Amino acid sequence: MNQKTIKKICYIGAGTMGSYNALIAAIAGYQVTLFDQDEDALLTVRARQQEIAGLLIASGKVSQVAIDNCWARVRTCSDLAVAIGDADLVSESVTESLEIKRTVLRQLEALMCPGTLLTSNTSALLPSDMDVGLRDGETFAALHSYLGAPLMDIVPGPRASERVVAVLEQYVRSLGCVPMVLHKEYPGYILNSLLGPLLTTAMLLVSRSRATVEQVDRAWMRHMGGTMGPFGMMDLFGLNVVLDSWKRPAQTHHRAQFKAEIIRCLQPIVAAGHTGMKSGQGFYCYPAPKYASENFLCSEPVCEEIFTALIGSVVQAGLLIVADGAASAEEVDRAWRIGTTLKTAPLELVTTGTSQVLREEVLSTRSDLSLLSETQQQQARGALAVTALA
């Protein structure tokens, strides 16, 4: 295989993630083509990218000059063959459906020039499942980005070479991002595997009347130092997006166990049109949510049991990643810090001796809020023992 150097990129799917990935590549100096078969979607690309650019500028990550100079490097196209052309990297961000992605990937591979890298921006599907049907799969990998965060997951397909991983790592760094190469494929990769249980536990605490939305977020923000808690995060992600993710076939124990309950919690809110920040209302009202007020953190005492349940779910998820061999404890904590910008990392909390209570309780089998099966509990305990001794 004659591996190309990445100069020209084609992104498939002009939704939020396709538009975001195309924008940051153009800012980094790459020639970018954004394809979508829906020409109406292409007409809204510039407005969508300008909105994202505004957020990047406001965060201090990009200058206005860099944004002004990037537009000439972005073009849109509704002809797939023309869009791919002589691209060195083709990356798809289509609907998160295994069958749809398999079909699209086969179409892309048939049109690509030899040596072109083929990647998927999937947030949950495994490369080995998507690889089915590809002619050779030697250049296929998952390359998953996070909107607004510099972390990018790299998971090579089952037939991909080490050279492919090396080229993708170099590409990610050229974007000003941080590559996180998993040792093996893992559902949800690292950051999403940590955030998923956190958000699930938050919703269970509220749906079972153990806490209010504000109490959950207050506990998290007080202990972790973040600017928002789990419910604020979900408003940011979009409650419709969170709900759609729960409606997909369950891939993990906790998703199968709590799927119906979580959907009952989210469905009425989304049905009322309250999808989060973009709609002006979700769990909070915007543009001035309660969690951003000066007295939010001190308006009432924090319940320690709420925080223990929240961070416990994150720690458990991290330990399962380590037990599976997908990443080390240090890599799990690194992905967490980069993806969330929080200084406190979950596995460090239970391996440094700074939180004896948490270490003792994190794997307790508190029945109705436990997200782990018995087998997973054993795996997590084993990983905890190993990482604590390392």
Side-chain angles (χ1 to χ4, degrees):
M1 177 187 67
N2 183 21
Q3 179 60 56
K4 294 182 175 183
T5 300
I6 298 176
K7 296 179 180 178
K8 297 180 180 180
I9 309 167
C10 177
Y11 289 99
I12 308 298
T16 299
M17 293 312 300
S19 297
Y20 169 72
N21 288 326
L23 177 63
I24 62 173
I27 292 171
Y30 290 97
Q31 296 296 320
V32 178
T33 300
L34 187 55
F35 165 85
D36 202 296
Q37 61 185 2
D38 182 354
E39 296 197 8
D40 289 338
L42 295 178
L43 292 175
T44 64
V45 165
R46 178 59 67 88
R48 188 176 300 114
Q49 289 184 325
Q50 287 176 332
E51 181 180 358
I52 296 170
L55 296 174
L56 294 176
I57 292 171
S59 68
K61 296 175 181 176
V62 179
S63 69
Q64 182 64 60
V65 173
I67 294 297
D68 292 340
N69 292 336
C70 83
W71 301 122
R73 293 189 287 271
V74 180
R75 68 164 182 154
T76 59
C77 183
S78 59
D79 184 313
L80 186 58
V82 172
I84 291 178
D86 59 351
D88 307 304
L89 168 64
V90 178
S91 177
E92 67 81 17
S93 298
V94 300
T95 303
E96 196 78 349
S97 159
L98 180 58
E99 290 308 313
I100 291 175
K101 286 191 180 290
R102 282 177 175 174
T103 298
V104 169
L105 290 170
R106 286 194 294 267
Q107 293 173 340
L108 300 178
E109 186 186 48
L111 293 170
M112 295 183 331
C113 297
T116 299
L117 289 179
L118 176 61
T119 66
S120 172
N121 193 54
T122 179
S123 59
L125 300 175
L126 300 179
S128 60
D129 290 333
M130 292 184 289
D131 177 84
V132 174
L134 291 178
R135 183 173 61 251
D136 52 54
E138 290 183 8
T139 64
F140 174 64
L143 179 64
H144 175 242
S145 61
Y146 297 86
L147 186 63
L151 183 70
M152 294 189 78
D153 300 309
I154 300 175
V155 190
R159 294 177 281 174
S161 68
E162 292 183 3
R163 170 64 178 159
V164 168
V165 175
V167 172
L168 288 175
E169 283 188 90
Q170 183 179 8
Y171 168 66
V172 170
R173 291 192 181 97
S174 75
L175 300 177
C177 296
V178 181
M180 182 59 62
V181 181
L182 272 68
H183 302 177
K184 57 187 288 191
E185 61 183 19
Y186 190 84
Y189 310 134
I190 298 178
L191 185 58
N192 281 346
S193 295
L194 301 175
L195 290 175
L198 170 65
L199 303 184
T200 299
T201 301
M203 286 188 282
L204 291 176
L205 285 167
V206 172
S207 70
R208 299 181 182 187
S209 301
R210 305 286 186 85
T212 65
V213 167
E214 290 82 4
Q215 286 170 337
V216 168
D217 281 0
R218 186 177 296 111
W220 181 261
M221 292 166 66
R222 279 277 295 274
H223 282 278
M224 299 299 286
T227 57
M228 63 179 66
F231 288 99
M233 293 179 199
M234 284 186 276
D235 277 353
L236 174 63
F237 301 153
L239 300 187
N240 56 320
V241 175
V242 178
L243 177 60
D244 286 345
S245 72
W246 275 95
K247 288 183 176 179
R248 296 175 196 143
Q251 292 183 308
T252 61
H253 172 77
H254 86 266
R255 291 185 71 85
Q257 185 178 7
F258 302 115
K259 181 176 181 177
E261 185 174 356
I262 299 301
I263 289 177
R264 283 197 302 271
C265 178
L266 290 171
Q267 186 77 57
I269 304 173
V270 174
H274 302 156
T275 57
M277 285 187 187
K278 283 192 174 183
S279 71
Q281 185 173 346
F283 288 109
Y284 295 94
C285 293
Y286 297 87
K290 286 184 180 180
Y291 63 77
S293 64
E294 291 184 4
N295 66 342
F296 181 74
L297 295 183
C298 58
S299 58
E300 67 175 66
V302 167
C303 175
E304 296 299 323
E305 289 185 0
I306 294 175
F307 176 70
T308 298
L310 294 171
I311 193 61
S313 67
V314 179
V315 171
Q316 290 169 357
L319 290 172
L320 289 183
I321 295 171
V322 174
D324 188 74
S328 66
E330 292 77 14
E331 289 168 330
V332 169
D333 281 351
R334 181 166 174 256
W336 174 264
R337 287 192 176 99
I338 296 169
T340 65
T341 70
L342 296 173
K343 294 181 180 179
T344 303
L347 297 190
E348 185 180 62
L349 278 175
V350 294
T351 58
T352 60
T354 58
S355 182
Q356 181 68 27
V357 173
L358 177 59
R359 188 162 60 252
E360 291 176 353
E361 295 188 7
V362 73
L363 295 177
S364 64
T365 57
R366 281 198 230 167
S367 59
D368 60 340
L369 277 180
S370 175
L371 305 187
L372 304 185
S373 65
E374 290 185 11
T375 299
Q376 289 174 319
Q377 289 172 21
Q378 293 174 358
Q379 292 172 335
R381 288 191 185 97
L384 178 58
V386 171
T387 54
L389 292 173

